[in-house]
Amino acid sequence: QTGGRVTRAETIHLTLAFLGEVDKEKLRAVIRAGRGVGGRAHSLPIEQARWWAHNRIVWAGPNEIPAPLAALAAELKNNLAQEGFSLEARAFAAHVSLIRRAHEPQNALPEPPIVDWPVGEFVLVRSALSREGASYETIERFARSR
């Protein structure tokens, strides 16, 4: 039993960098940082499901972060820092949150069927929280080449 709030399919995402509140003037800097990121299209294997006690989240993700995704996240973080943003110091953890405010599972979580999630772009989104959960508005898309 995990309890908690299950993520709706339309909100499934992987966060590369969390910025918090950004005013319109700084939004231009975020877009510049995103446009400056190189990288190539790749896939993200979804190979495991785990529970994090520190934030009570059940998540799914890879056993190891694919090199192209690690490079993309690092370059984005660097570009954002050059634009004056302070980001979390902790290492990037590629994961997709599935259940928030989850109770500790009484049994081991089932391993998900291995899925290769295609990564052909990353997006800048604005999120809003309500009683129904989070909703997301896409502000800008940044395509990756093959």
Side-chain angles (χ1 to χ4, degrees), residues 78-111:
N78 182 58
N79 289 3
L80 287 166
Q82 289 180 7
E83 291 287 352
F85 289 91
S86 296
L87 302 174
E88 295 178 316
R90 65 182 165 177
F92 173 64
H95 72 282
V96 177
S97 297
L98 301 175
I99 304 174
R100 298 183 184 283
R101 295 189 295 268
H103 300 292
E104 182 174 6
Q106 295 173 354
N107 301 306
L109 293 171
E111 294 299 321

PDB file of all heavy atoms in Angstrom, residues 78-111:
ATOM      1  N   ASN A  78      24.562  24.496 -16.445  1.00  0.00           N
ATOM      2  CA  ASN A  78      25.645  25.448 -16.652  1.00  0.00           C
ATOM      3  C   ASN A  78      25.138  26.713 -17.343  1.00  0.00           C
ATOM      4  O   ASN A  78      25.465  27.831 -16.928  1.00  0.00           O
ATOM      5  CB  ASN A  78      26.761  24.791 -17.469  1.00  0.00           C
ATOM      6  CG  ASN A  78      27.931  25.728 -17.657  1.00  0.00           C
ATOM      7  OD1 ASN A  78      28.526  26.200 -16.700  1.00  0.00           O
ATOM      8  ND2 ASN A  78      28.265  26.008 -18.920  1.00  0.00           N
ATOM      9  N   ASN A  79      24.339  26.551 -18.396  1.00  0.00           N
ATOM     10  CA  ASN A  79      23.795  27.711 -19.113  1.00  0.00           C
ATOM     11  C   ASN A  79      22.911  28.566 -18.211  1.00  0.00           C
ATOM     12  O   ASN A  79      22.958  29.796 -18.267  1.00  0.00           O
ATOM     13  CB  ASN A  79      23.007  27.266 -20.340  1.00  0.00           C
ATOM     14  CG  ASN A  79      23.880  26.717 -21.447  1.00  0.00           C
ATOM     15  OD1 ASN A  79      25.100  26.608 -21.305  1.00  0.00           O
ATOM     16  ND2 ASN A  79      23.261  26.334 -22.550  1.00  0.00           N
ATOM     17  N   LEU A  80      22.108  27.914 -17.389  1.00  0.00           N
ATOM     18  CA  LEU A  80      21.246  28.660 -16.460  1.00  0.00           C
ATOM     19  C   LEU A  80      22.096  29.406 -15.424  1.00  0.00           C
ATOM     20  O   LEU A  80      21.787  30.551 -15.075  1.00  0.00           O
ATOM     21  CB  LEU A  80      20.258  27.714 -15.777  1.00  0.00           C
ATOM     22  CG  LEU A  80      19.130  27.209 -16.674  1.00  0.00           C
ATOM     23  CD1 LEU A  80      18.419  26.026 -16.025  1.00  0.00           C
ATOM     24  CD2 LEU A  80      18.147  28.321 -17.006  1.00  0.00           C
ATOM     25  N   ALA A  81      23.162  28.785 -14.944  1.00  0.00           N
ATOM     26  CA  ALA A  81      24.054  29.453 -13.989  1.00  0.00           C
ATOM     27  C   ALA A  81      24.696  30.680 -14.629  1.00  0.00           C
ATOM     28  O   ALA A  81      24.809  31.732 -13.987  1.00  0.00           O
ATOM     29  CB  ALA A  81      25.122  28.475 -13.502  1.00  0.00           C
ATOM     30  N   GLN A  82      25.078  30.572 -15.889  1.00  0.00           N
ATOM     31  CA  GLN A  82      25.657  31.721 -16.599  1.00  0.00           C
ATOM     32  C   GLN A  82      24.650  32.850 -16.769  1.00  0.00           C
ATOM     33  O   GLN A  82      25.030  34.011 -16.895  1.00  0.00           O
ATOM     34  CB  GLN A  82      26.209  31.289 -17.957  1.00  0.00           C
ATOM     35  CG  GLN A  82      27.460  30.457 -17.850  1.00  0.00           C
ATOM     36  CD  GLN A  82      28.001  30.031 -19.203  1.00  0.00           C
ATOM     37  OE1 GLN A  82      27.531  30.452 -20.253  1.00  0.00           O
ATOM     38  NE2 GLN A  82      29.005  29.170 -19.180  1.00  0.00           N
ATOM     39  N   GLU A  83      23.368  32.497 -16.765  1.00  0.00           N
ATOM     40  CA  GLU A  83      22.308  33.512 -16.866  1.00  0.00           C
ATOM     41  C   GLU A  83      21.907  34.042 -15.482  1.00  0.00           C
ATOM     42  O   GLU A  83      20.983  34.823 -15.359  1.00  0.00           O
ATOM     43  CB  GLU A  83      21.075  32.931 -17.574  1.00  0.00           C
ATOM     44  CG  GLU A  83      21.286  32.642 -19.053  1.00  0.00           C
ATOM     45  CD  GLU A  83      21.353  33.892 -19.923  1.00  0.00           C
ATOM     46  OE1 GLU A  83      21.092  35.014 -19.426  1.00  0.00           O
ATOM     47  OE2 GLU A  83      21.667  33.748 -21.116  1.00  0.00           O
ATOM     48  N   GLY A  84      22.578  33.578 -14.426  1.00  0.00           N
ATOM     49  CA  GLY A  84      22.348  34.113 -13.087  1.00  0.00           C
ATOM     50  C   GLY A  84      21.406  33.317 -12.206  1.00  0.00           C
ATOM     51  O   GLY A  84      21.022  33.779 -11.137  1.00  0.00           O
ATOM     52  N   PHE A  85      21.029  32.106 -12.623  1.00  0.00           N
ATOM     53  CA  PHE A  85      20.135  31.280 -11.819  1.00  0.00           C
ATOM     54  C   PHE A  85      20.926  30.423 -10.846  1.00  0.00           C
ATOM     55  O   PHE A  85      21.963  29.873 -11.207  1.00  0.00           O
ATOM     56  CB  PHE A  85      19.265  30.373 -12.707  1.00  0.00           C
ATOM     57  CG  PHE A  85      18.230  31.124 -13.476  1.00  0.00           C
ATOM     58  CD1 PHE A  85      18.510  31.610 -14.745  1.00  0.00           C
ATOM     59  CD2 PHE A  85      16.977  31.372 -12.933  1.00  0.00           C
ATOM     60  CE1 PHE A  85      17.562  32.315 -15.462  1.00  0.00           C
ATOM     61  CE2 PHE A  85      16.023  32.082 -13.639  1.00  0.00           C
ATOM     62  CZ  PHE A  85      16.321  32.555 -14.904  1.00  0.00           C
ATOM     63  N   SER A  86      20.426  30.295  -9.629  1.00  0.00           N
ATOM     64  CA  SER A  86      21.007  29.395  -8.640  1.00  0.00           C
ATOM     65  C   SER A  86      20.161  28.142  -8.615  1.00  0.00           C
ATOM     66  O   SER A  86      18.955  28.207  -8.361  1.00  0.00           O
ATOM     67  CB  SER A  86      20.999  30.033  -7.246  1.00  0.00           C
ATOM     68  OG  SER A  86      21.820  31.164  -7.235  1.00  0.00           O
ATOM     69  N   LEU A  87      20.781  27.011  -8.900  1.00  0.00           N
ATOM     70  CA  LEU A  87      20.061  25.738  -8.942  1.00  0.00           C
ATOM     71  C   LEU A  87      20.514  24.851  -7.794  1.00  0.00           C
ATOM     72  O   LEU A  87      21.531  25.113  -7.148  1.00  0.00           O
ATOM     73  CB  LEU A  87      20.285  25.048 -10.282  1.00  0.00           C
ATOM     74  CG  LEU A  87      19.864  25.859 -11.505  1.00  0.00           C
ATOM     75  CD1 LEU A  87      20.261  25.151 -12.781  1.00  0.00           C
ATOM     76  CD2 LEU A  87      18.366  26.098 -11.492  1.00  0.00           C
ATOM     77  N   GLU A  88      19.772  23.780  -7.582  1.00  0.00           N
ATOM     78  CA  GLU A  88      20.114  22.829  -6.534  1.00  0.00           C
ATOM     79  C   GLU A  88      21.535  22.319  -6.730  1.00  0.00           C
ATOM     80  O   GLU A  88      21.965  22.068  -7.850  1.00  0.00           O
ATOM     81  CB  GLU A  88      19.157  21.632  -6.565  1.00  0.00           C
ATOM     82  CG  GLU A  88      17.725  21.981  -6.254  1.00  0.00           C
ATOM     83  CD  GLU A  88      16.827  20.763  -6.352  1.00  0.00           C
ATOM     84  OE1 GLU A  88      16.967  19.996  -7.325  1.00  0.00           O
ATOM     85  OE2 GLU A  88      16.000  20.600  -5.452  1.00  0.00           O
ATOM     86  N   ALA A  89      22.238  22.127  -5.617  1.00  0.00           N
ATOM     87  CA  ALA A  89      23.609  21.628  -5.686  1.00  0.00           C
ATOM     88  C   ALA A  89      23.654  20.117  -5.833  1.00  0.00           C
ATOM     89  O   ALA A  89      24.634  19.576  -6.321  1.00  0.00           O
ATOM     90  CB  ALA A  89      24.372  22.044  -4.430  1.00  0.00           C
ATOM     91  N   ARG A  90      22.580  19.433  -5.425  1.00  0.00           N
ATOM     92  CA  ARG A  90      22.610  17.974  -5.486  1.00  0.00           C
ATOM     93  C   ARG A  90      22.670  17.485  -6.934  1.00  0.00           C
ATOM     94  O   ARG A  90      22.257  18.171  -7.863  1.00  0.00           O
ATOM     95  CB  ARG A  90      21.426  17.359  -4.752  1.00  0.00           C
ATOM     96  CG  ARG A  90      20.093  17.653  -5.358  1.00  0.00           C
ATOM     97  CD  ARG A  90      18.971  17.055  -4.538  1.00  0.00           C
ATOM     98  NE  ARG A  90      17.712  17.646  -4.955  1.00  0.00           N
ATOM     99  CZ  ARG A  90      16.565  17.296  -4.481  1.00  0.00           C
ATOM    100  NH1 ARG A  90      16.487  16.352  -3.566  1.00  0.00           N
ATOM    101  NH2 ARG A  90      15.463  17.869  -4.899  1.00  0.00           N
ATOM    102  N   ALA A  91      23.171  16.284  -7.087  1.00  0.00           N
ATOM    103  CA  ALA A  91      23.350  15.692  -8.415  1.00  0.00           C
ATOM    104  C   ALA A  91      22.000  15.456  -9.085  1.00  0.00           C
ATOM    105  O   ALA A  91      20.998  15.194  -8.422  1.00  0.00           O
ATOM    106  CB  ALA A  91      24.116  14.378  -8.292  1.00  0.00           C
ATOM    107  N   PHE A  92      21.996  15.533 -10.398  1.00  0.00           N
ATOM    108  CA  PHE A  92      20.802  15.265 -11.195  1.00  0.00           C
ATOM    109  C   PHE A  92      20.397  13.804 -11.010  1.00  0.00           C
ATOM    110  O   PHE A  92      21.228  12.899 -11.092  1.00  0.00           O
ATOM    111  CB  PHE A  92      21.105  15.554 -12.670  1.00  0.00           C
ATOM    112  CG  PHE A  92      20.020  15.153 -13.620  1.00  0.00           C
ATOM    113  CD1 PHE A  92      18.774  15.745 -13.577  1.00  0.00           C
ATOM    114  CD2 PHE A  92      20.251  14.178 -14.577  1.00  0.00           C
ATOM    115  CE1 PHE A  92      17.768  15.378 -14.456  1.00  0.00           C
ATOM    116  CE2 PHE A  92      19.269  13.802 -15.469  1.00  0.00           C
ATOM    117  CZ  PHE A  92      18.022  14.404 -15.407  1.00  0.00           C
ATOM    118  N   ALA A  93      19.129  13.572 -10.730  1.00  0.00           N
ATOM    119  CA  ALA A  93      18.593  12.218 -10.566  1.00  0.00           C
ATOM    120  C   ALA A  93      17.456  12.044 -11.565  1.00  0.00           C
ATOM    121  O   ALA A  93      16.377  12.609 -11.383  1.00  0.00           O
ATOM    122  CB  ALA A  93      18.085  12.011  -9.139  1.00  0.00           C
ATOM    123  N   ALA A  94      17.705  11.298 -12.619  1.00  0.00           N
ATOM    124  CA  ALA A  94      16.691  11.089 -13.659  1.00  0.00           C
ATOM    125  C   ALA A  94      15.592  10.198 -13.103  1.00  0.00           C
ATOM    126  O   ALA A  94      15.818   9.029 -12.819  1.00  0.00           O
ATOM    127  CB  ALA A  94      17.317  10.453 -14.892  1.00  0.00           C
ATOM    128  N   HIS A  95      14.409  10.767 -12.926  1.00  0.00           N
ATOM    129  CA  HIS A  95      13.283   9.994 -12.392  1.00  0.00           C
ATOM    130  C   HIS A  95      11.969  10.623 -12.826  1.00  0.00           C
ATOM    131  O   HIS A  95      11.906  11.815 -13.117  1.00  0.00           O
ATOM    132  CB  HIS A  95      13.345   9.934 -10.865  1.00  0.00           C
ATOM    133  CG  HIS A  95      13.008  11.250 -10.226  1.00  0.00           C
ATOM    134  ND1 HIS A  95      13.906  12.294 -10.154  1.00  0.00           N
ATOM    135  CD2 HIS A  95      11.858  11.700  -9.668  1.00  0.00           C
ATOM    136  CE1 HIS A  95      13.328  13.320  -9.559  1.00  0.00           C
ATOM    137  NE2 HIS A  95      12.071  12.991  -9.251  1.00  0.00           N
ATOM    138  N   VAL A  96      10.950   9.804 -12.877  1.00  0.00           N
ATOM    139  CA  VAL A  96       9.595  10.252 -13.171  1.00  0.00           C
ATOM    140  C   VAL A  96       8.764   9.960 -11.930  1.00  0.00           C
ATOM    141  O   VAL A  96       8.635   8.806 -11.520  1.00  0.00           O
ATOM    142  CB  VAL A  96       9.007   9.503 -14.394  1.00  0.00           C
ATOM    143  CG1 VAL A  96       7.586   9.921 -14.653  1.00  0.00           C
ATOM    144  CG2 VAL A  96       9.881   9.738 -15.621  1.00  0.00           C
ATOM    145  N   SER A  97       8.238  11.002 -11.307  1.00  0.00           N
ATOM    146  CA  SER A  97       7.409  10.817 -10.111  1.00  0.00           C
ATOM    147  C   SER A  97       6.079  10.187 -10.502  1.00  0.00           C
ATOM    148  O   SER A  97       5.422  10.647 -11.430  1.00  0.00           O
ATOM    149  CB  SER A  97       7.152  12.158  -9.416  1.00  0.00           C
ATOM    150  OG  SER A  97       8.371  12.717  -8.975  1.00  0.00           O
ATOM    151  N   LEU A  98       5.703   9.133  -9.786  1.00  0.00           N
ATOM    152  CA  LEU A  98       4.449   8.427 -10.064  1.00  0.00           C
ATOM    153  C   LEU A  98       3.404   8.661  -8.983  1.00  0.00           C
ATOM    154  O   LEU A  98       2.224   8.808  -9.271  1.00  0.00           O
ATOM    155  CB  LEU A  98       4.702   6.930 -10.210  1.00  0.00           C
ATOM    156  CG  LEU A  98       5.665   6.522 -11.316  1.00  0.00           C
ATOM    157  CD1 LEU A  98       5.919   5.028 -11.270  1.00  0.00           C
ATOM    158  CD2 LEU A  98       5.133   6.944 -12.671  1.00  0.00           C
ATOM    159  N   ILE A  99       3.836   8.655  -7.720  1.00  0.00           N
ATOM    160  CA  ILE A  99       2.916   8.859  -6.600  1.00  0.00           C
ATOM    161  C   ILE A  99       3.579   9.809  -5.614  1.00  0.00           C
ATOM    162  O   ILE A  99       4.700   9.586  -5.186  1.00  0.00           O
ATOM    163  CB  ILE A  99       2.563   7.530  -5.892  1.00  0.00           C
ATOM    164  CG1 ILE A  99       1.984   6.519  -6.884  1.00  0.00           C
ATOM    165  CG2 ILE A  99       1.587   7.781  -4.744  1.00  0.00           C
ATOM    166  CD1 ILE A  99       1.761   5.138  -6.284  1.00  0.00           C
ATOM    167  N   ARG A 100       2.876  10.867  -5.270  1.00  0.00           N
ATOM    168  CA  ARG A 100       3.366  11.833  -4.284  1.00  0.00           C
ATOM    169  C   ARG A 100       2.666  11.576  -2.949  1.00  0.00           C
ATOM    170  O   ARG A 100       1.578  11.045  -2.907  1.00  0.00           O
ATOM    171  CB  ARG A 100       3.088  13.258  -4.752  1.00  0.00           C
ATOM    172  CG  ARG A 100       3.796  13.586  -6.049  1.00  0.00           C
ATOM    173  CD  ARG A 100       3.552  15.029  -6.458  1.00  0.00           C
ATOM    174  NE  ARG A 100       4.153  15.302  -7.733  1.00  0.00           N
ATOM    175  CZ  ARG A 100       5.445  15.510  -7.933  1.00  0.00           C
ATOM    176  NH1 ARG A 100       6.267  15.463  -6.904  1.00  0.00           N
ATOM    177  NH2 ARG A 100       5.912  15.741  -9.127  1.00  0.00           N
ATOM    178  N   ARG A 101       3.314  11.974  -1.879  1.00  0.00           N
ATOM    179  CA  ARG A 101       2.807  11.776  -0.513  1.00  0.00           C
ATOM    180  C   ARG A 101       2.495  10.296  -0.265  1.00  0.00           C
ATOM    181  O   ARG A 101       1.478   9.957   0.334  1.00  0.00           O
ATOM    182  CB  ARG A 101       1.596  12.669  -0.255  1.00  0.00           C
ATOM    183  CG  ARG A 101       1.936  14.154  -0.279  1.00  0.00           C
ATOM    184  CD  ARG A 101       0.793  15.023   0.177  1.00  0.00           C
ATOM    185  NE  ARG A 101      -0.353  14.980  -0.696  1.00  0.00           N
ATOM    186  CZ  ARG A 101      -0.578  15.805  -1.709  1.00  0.00           C
ATOM    187  NH1 ARG A 101       0.277  16.740  -1.982  1.00  0.00           N
ATOM    188  NH2 ARG A 101      -1.667  15.696  -2.430  1.00  0.00           N
ATOM    189  N   ALA A 102       3.371   9.445  -0.757  1.00  0.00           N
ATOM    190  CA  ALA A 102       3.176   7.998  -0.637  1.00  0.00           C
ATOM    191  C   ALA A 102       3.643   7.506   0.730  1.00  0.00           C
ATOM    192  O   ALA A 102       4.637   7.988   1.266  1.00  0.00           O
ATOM    193  CB  ALA A 102       3.957   7.278  -1.732  1.00  0.00           C
ATOM    194  N   HIS A 103       2.912   6.558   1.267  1.00  0.00           N
ATOM    195  CA  HIS A 103       3.355   5.870   2.472  1.00  0.00           C
ATOM    196  C   HIS A 103       4.401   4.848   2.067  1.00  0.00           C
ATOM    197  O   HIS A 103       4.433   4.386   0.926  1.00  0.00           O
ATOM    198  CB  HIS A 103       2.183   5.170   3.157  1.00  0.00           C
ATOM    199  CG  HIS A 103       1.092   6.116   3.559  1.00  0.00           C
ATOM    200  ND1 HIS A 103       1.230   7.060   4.548  1.00  0.00           N
ATOM    201  CD2 HIS A 103      -0.160   6.279   3.066  1.00  0.00           C
ATOM    202  CE1 HIS A 103       0.121   7.750   4.666  1.00  0.00           C
ATOM    203  NE2 HIS A 103      -0.750   7.307   3.767  1.00  0.00           N
ATOM    204  N   GLU A 104       5.243   4.472   2.993  1.00  0.00           N
ATOM    205  CA  GLU A 104       6.262   3.474   2.677  1.00  0.00           C
ATOM    206  C   GLU A 104       5.595   2.180   2.234  1.00  0.00           C
ATOM    207  O   GLU A 104       4.693   1.675   2.901  1.00  0.00           O
ATOM    208  CB  GLU A 104       7.137   3.206   3.897  1.00  0.00           C
ATOM    209  CG  GLU A 104       8.239   2.219   3.628  1.00  0.00           C
ATOM    210  CD  GLU A 104       9.194   2.073   4.794  1.00  0.00           C
ATOM    211  OE1 GLU A 104       8.944   2.656   5.860  1.00  0.00           O
ATOM    212  OE2 GLU A 104      10.195   1.366   4.621  1.00  0.00           O
ATOM    213  N   PRO A 105       6.008   1.636   1.094  1.00  0.00           N
ATOM    214  CA  PRO A 105       5.413   0.385   0.629  1.00  0.00           C
ATOM    215  C   PRO A 105       5.673  -0.747   1.624  1.00  0.00           C
ATOM    216  O   PRO A 105       6.757  -0.852   2.191  1.00  0.00           O
ATOM    217  CB  PRO A 105       6.134   0.109  -0.695  1.00  0.00           C
ATOM    218  CG  PRO A 105       6.702   1.418  -1.102  1.00  0.00           C
ATOM    219  CD  PRO A 105       6.988   2.169   0.161  1.00  0.00           C
ATOM    220  N   GLN A 106       4.678  -1.575   1.843  1.00  0.00           N
ATOM    221  CA  GLN A 106       4.824  -2.701   2.760  1.00  0.00           C
ATOM    222  C   GLN A 106       5.578  -3.850   2.108  1.00  0.00           C
ATOM    223  O   GLN A 106       6.155  -4.677   2.783  1.00  0.00           O
ATOM    224  CB  GLN A 106       3.454  -3.168   3.240  1.00  0.00           C
ATOM    225  CG  GLN A 106       2.752  -2.109   4.069  1.00  0.00           C
ATOM    226  CD  GLN A 106       1.324  -2.483   4.421  1.00  0.00           C
ATOM    227  OE1 GLN A 106       0.805  -3.496   3.962  1.00  0.00           O
ATOM    228  NE2 GLN A 106       0.693  -1.657   5.231  1.00  0.00           N
ATOM    229  N   ASN A 107       5.553  -3.907   0.789  1.00  0.00           N
ATOM    230  CA  ASN A 107       6.256  -4.935   0.022  1.00  0.00           C
ATOM    231  C   ASN A 107       7.139  -4.237  -1.004  1.00  0.00           C
ATOM    232  O   ASN A 107       6.986  -3.043  -1.266  1.00  0.00           O
ATOM    233  CB  ASN A 107       5.259  -5.851  -0.700  1.00  0.00           C
ATOM    234  CG  ASN A 107       4.314  -6.533   0.269  1.00  0.00           C
ATOM    235  OD1 ASN A 107       4.752  -7.167   1.214  1.00  0.00           O
ATOM    236  ND2 ASN A 107       3.021  -6.370   0.051  1.00  0.00           N
ATOM    237  N   ALA A 108       8.040  -4.986  -1.609  1.00  0.00           N
ATOM    238  CA  ALA A 108       8.877  -4.436  -2.667  1.00  0.00           C
ATOM    239  C   ALA A 108       7.995  -3.968  -3.820  1.00  0.00           C
ATOM    240  O   ALA A 108       6.990  -4.612  -4.137  1.00  0.00           O
ATOM    241  CB  ALA A 108       9.866  -5.486  -3.156  1.00  0.00           C
ATOM    242  N   LEU A 109       8.358  -2.846  -4.416  1.00  0.00           N
ATOM    243  CA  LEU A 109       7.614  -2.349  -5.573  1.00  0.00           C
ATOM    244  C   LEU A 109       7.877  -3.262  -6.764  1.00  0.00           C
ATOM    245  O   LEU A 109       8.991  -3.757  -6.936  1.00  0.00           O
ATOM    246  CB  LEU A 109       8.057  -0.928  -5.918  1.00  0.00           C
ATOM    247  CG  LEU A 109       7.701   0.138  -4.885  1.00  0.00           C
ATOM    248  CD1 LEU A 109       8.383   1.453  -5.233  1.00  0.00           C
ATOM    249  CD2 LEU A 109       6.199   0.323  -4.817  1.00  0.00           C
ATOM    250  N   PRO A 110       6.862  -3.489  -7.581  1.00  0.00           N
ATOM    251  CA  PRO A 110       7.094  -4.324  -8.768  1.00  0.00           C
ATOM    252  C   PRO A 110       8.021  -3.604  -9.742  1.00  0.00           C
ATOM    253  O   PRO A 110       7.994  -2.378  -9.848  1.00  0.00           O
ATOM    254  CB  PRO A 110       5.695  -4.502  -9.356  1.00  0.00           C
ATOM    255  CG  PRO A 110       4.907  -3.362  -8.826  1.00  0.00           C
ATOM    256  CD  PRO A 110       5.505  -2.997  -7.489  1.00  0.00           C
ATOM    257  N   GLU A 111       8.859  -4.358 -10.418  1.00  0.00           N
ATOM    258  CA  GLU A 111       9.716  -3.777 -11.446  1.00  0.00           C
ATOM    259  C   GLU A 111       8.839  -3.445 -12.647  1.00  0.00           C
ATOM    260  O   GLU A 111       8.046  -4.279 -13.080  1.00  0.00           O
ATOM    261  CB  GLU A 111      10.827  -4.746 -11.837  1.00  0.00           C
ATOM    262  CG  GLU A 111      11.816  -5.022 -10.707  1.00  0.00           C
ATOM    263  CD  GLU A 111      12.548  -3.774 -10.224  1.00  0.00           C
ATOM    264  OE1 GLU A 111      12.931  -2.917 -11.031  1.00  0.00           O
ATOM    265  OE2 GLU A 111      12.719  -3.653  -8.991  1.00  0.00           O
TER     266      GLU A 111
END
